[in-house]
């Protein structure tokens, strides 16, 4: 079977600072240092080994996609693209394809819907063999936001976000890796038809019981996990599963271990506490929970283990939205170097929330026959807290107070109201506690 060669796609808007980099009237005049183009800084620093990017991807398999606003400055932007092409050879990037992609903003630069539609149409879909870099420093704030959303919502395999930062990116060639602590998505976001697909048939046949992957973004993540498990004989399998609390990260790791077992009979070992190193048999799959709680020393110990034991597969979970002992960038550079980052969306961003609730009910011995009928609206409207643990708690409580074998929605709603009331009381008490009522007090 022929292995696809790795390629790279770099995506950026052209900004005003980029336009100042080359003088239109005097082509041969050197650019002013204080107007250094963010796009040019990105190209100069992209091969820095500290950035955890795919190594060995030649310029001939790299495409630079530059969005060119088709407005008053269109000619200047087209000129910028031509000058970039002329500069590539001197930068050691001869052979890189530069794509000048005009976009039309008839309703102004803050027309987000128009911006996203054109970005969505321009960016080719890719698999794990294509590395996609979103550059956030050029263009307007609306353009930056559009690329952030595209990076989280488009079905792309290997995604990185960078800003060009003189202050914070000194050790990485002026580039700062952006790792967001949340998923940019909304429950009412319309999912394009071209990505609304089911999990591929091969991994779908070997899912753990009650696994729900109907959401296209979750499906993409599970396909990536299966591909890594399938290729573990050729290269060390290292995976970081990232997401908020209760998004199914540990379940995804267990699924990864099952696929590794199905492929070559590998045992799995759970590493739940960093200070308690388990026995790790030859060729096994190691599952690490909450690697965000590990210290630098513990991460470095894991890094040495991962380098020495190329026979083992490693999958670890990283919680977003929580205070972590080590940031994601440190874990990727000092712990699981070269690990593939798999991101799971928050529940309110998934379109299979009802199927997920049905699966949670079955796992907890609750009859699921009435869950869709009675709970669909309240689930889809997000009238619950944001994770699988809360769904389990609320369904179990509703079942405990229901006289029949099916949970009744009134008790479910009552439990939600109790949670909201408790939260309001805590906030009220904190407010009262911070107030100064003078010598007499209350």
């Amino acid at each position: 079977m022929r292995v696809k060669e790795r390629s790279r796609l770099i995506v950026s808007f052209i900004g005003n600072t980029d336009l100042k980099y080359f003088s239109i009237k005097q082509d041969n005049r050197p650019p002013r240092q204080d107007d250094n183009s963010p796009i040019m800084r990105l190209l100069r620093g992209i091969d820095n080994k500290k950035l955890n990017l795919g190594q060995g991807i030649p310029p001939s398999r790299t495409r630079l996609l530059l969005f060119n606003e088709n407005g008053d400055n269109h000619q200047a932007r087209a000129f910028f693209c031509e000058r970039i092409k002329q500069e590539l050879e001197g930068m050691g990037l001869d052979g890189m394809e530069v794509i000048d992609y005009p976009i039309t903003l008839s309703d102004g630069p803050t027309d987000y819907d128009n911006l996203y539609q054109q970005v969505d149409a321009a960016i080719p879909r890719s698999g794990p063999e294509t590395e996609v870099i979103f550059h956030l420093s050029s263009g307007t704030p609306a353009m930056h936001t559009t690329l952030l959303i595209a990076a989280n919502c488009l079905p792309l395999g290997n995604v990185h976000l960078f800003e060009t930062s003189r202050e914070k990116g000194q050790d990485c060639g002026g580039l700062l890796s952006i790792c967001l602590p949340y998923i940019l998505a909304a429950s009412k976001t319309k999912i394009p038809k071209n990505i609304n697909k089911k999990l591929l048939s091969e991994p779908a046949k070997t899912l753990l019981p009650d696994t729900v992957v109907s959401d296209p973004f979750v499906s993409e993540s599970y396909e990536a996990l299966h591909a890594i498990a399938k290729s573990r004989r050729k290269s060390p399998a290292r995976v970081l599963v990232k997401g908020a609390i209760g998004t199914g990260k540990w379940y995804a790791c267990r699924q990864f271990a099952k696929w590794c077992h199905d492929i070559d009979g590998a045992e799995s070992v759970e590493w739940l506490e960093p200070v308690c190193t388990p026995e790790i048999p030859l060729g096994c799959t190691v599952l690490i929970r909450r690697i965000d709680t590990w210290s630098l020393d513990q991460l470095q110990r894991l890094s040495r283990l991962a380098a020495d034991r190329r026979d083992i597969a490693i999958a670890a979970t990283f919680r977003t939205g929580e205070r972590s002992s080590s940031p994601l960038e440190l874990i990727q550079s000092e712990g699981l170097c070269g690990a593939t980052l798999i991101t799971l969306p928050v529940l309110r961003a998934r379109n299979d929330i009802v199927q997920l609730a049905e699966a949670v009910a079955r796992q907890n011995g609750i009859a699921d026959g009435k869950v869709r009928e009675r709970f669909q609206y309240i689930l889809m409207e997000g009238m619950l807290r944001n994770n699988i643990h809360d769904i389990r708690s609320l369904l179990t409580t509703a079942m405990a107070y229901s006289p029949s074998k099916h949970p009744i929605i009134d008790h479910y709603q009552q439990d939600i109201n109790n949670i909201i009331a408790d939260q309001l009381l805590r906030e009220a008490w904190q407010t009262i506690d911070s107030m100064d009522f003078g010598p007499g007090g209350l």
Side-chain angles (χ1 to χ4, degrees), residues 37 73 93 129 144 243 291 347 363 426:
S37 159
N73 282 338
L93 299 175
E129 70 277 0
H144 302 168
I291 198 172
L347 265 60
Q363 289 174 337
R426 283 196 301 271

Side-chain angles (χ1 to χ4, degrees), residues 29 44 56 101 125 168 252-253 262 267 308 335:
R29 191 181 72 185
R44 291 193 185 100
Y101 195 99
R125 302 301 180 256
K168 296 183 179 180
C253 286
D262 292 343
E267 298 179 44
D308 295 339

